[in-house]
């Protein structure tokens, strides 16, 4: 992560695996999710397709290209599916799986430091974040 100031969003234990926690940061809502490998990832809670609250979508896997008679599941627990139109995005990169390079989620650098979740790149007017669990069940 860069030398920019970061938001300390709390202990990593407060971030359930595979579910977004939502934070009001200034005039934005940011979702932070912890993956099974322990990494954390932050996105703006807005789908670039039609503005849906993407962090309320399911964190799941997806079907990946495979032989015609074989259904292969991949990216387990690393895909968020938009609740409005079903667009699928990589939790890690923000890339849309449907449109190569066409649209992507706005991501923020996030990391665990000293057992706490930190997010960078949030607007300066946001001096604190008010968090609540997301509803990605």
């Amino acid at each position: 992560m860069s030398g920019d100031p970061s938001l300390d969003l709390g202990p990593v234990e407060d971030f359930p695996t595979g579910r977004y926690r939502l934070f009001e940061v200034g005039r934005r809502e940011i979702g932070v999710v912890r993956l099974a490998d322990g990494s954390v990832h932050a996105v703006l809670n807005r789908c670039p397709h039609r503005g849906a609250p993407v962090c309320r979508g399911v964190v799941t896997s997806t079907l990946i290209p495979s032989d015609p008679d074989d259904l292969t599941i991949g990216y387990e627990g690393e895909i968020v599916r938009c609740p409005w139109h079903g667009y699928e995005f990589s939790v890690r990169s923000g890339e849309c799986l449907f449109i190569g390079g066409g649209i992507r989620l706005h991501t923020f650098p996030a990391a665990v430091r000293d057992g706490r979740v930190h997010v960078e790149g949030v607007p300066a007017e946001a001096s604190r974040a008010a968090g609540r669990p997301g509803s990605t069940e």
Side-chain angles (χ1 to χ4, degrees):
M1 293 186 4
S2 70
D4 294 335
S6 67
L7 286 176
D8 179 341
L9 298 179
V12 69
E13 297 82 24
D14 289 351
F15 292 79
T17 301
R19 291 192 58 193
Y20 275 99
R21 279 198 59 202
L22 300 175
F23 294 87
E24 297 285 334
V25 183
R27 295 184 317 219
R28 297 180 179 199
E29 189 169 62
I30 295 171
V32 179
V33 65
R34 180 168 53 132
L35 300 184
D37 67 3
S39 64
V40 292
H41 304 273
V43 300
L44 181 65
N45 188 22
R46 184 179 189 284
C47 179
H49 172 236
R50 295 283 184 186
V54 71
C55 296
R56 297 199 185 280
V58 175
V59 176
T60 187
S61 56
T62 193
L63 292 174
I64 59 175
S66 56
D67 292 330
D69 294 330
D70 184 27
L71 294 177
T72 304
I73 295 174
Y75 304 105
E76 292 189 42
E78 296 184 12
I79 302 299
V80 62
R81 186 174 301 128
C82 177
W84 286 5
H85 299 109
Y87 276 55
E88 293 180 339
F89 298 90
S90 166
V91 168
R92 292 182 186 276
S93 69
E95 290 183 74
C96 181
L97 301 185
F98 292 143
I99 304 171
I103 62 175
R104 64 184 309 127
L105 296 176
H106 182 126
T107 60
F108 299 93
V112 177
R113 291 197 309 258
D114 299 322
R116 299 185 65 80
V117 174
H118 293 264
V119 175
E120 291 184 3
V122 179
E125 75 267 9
S127 60
R128 68 177 195 81
R132 64 185 188 280
S135 59
T136 57
E137 301 179 30

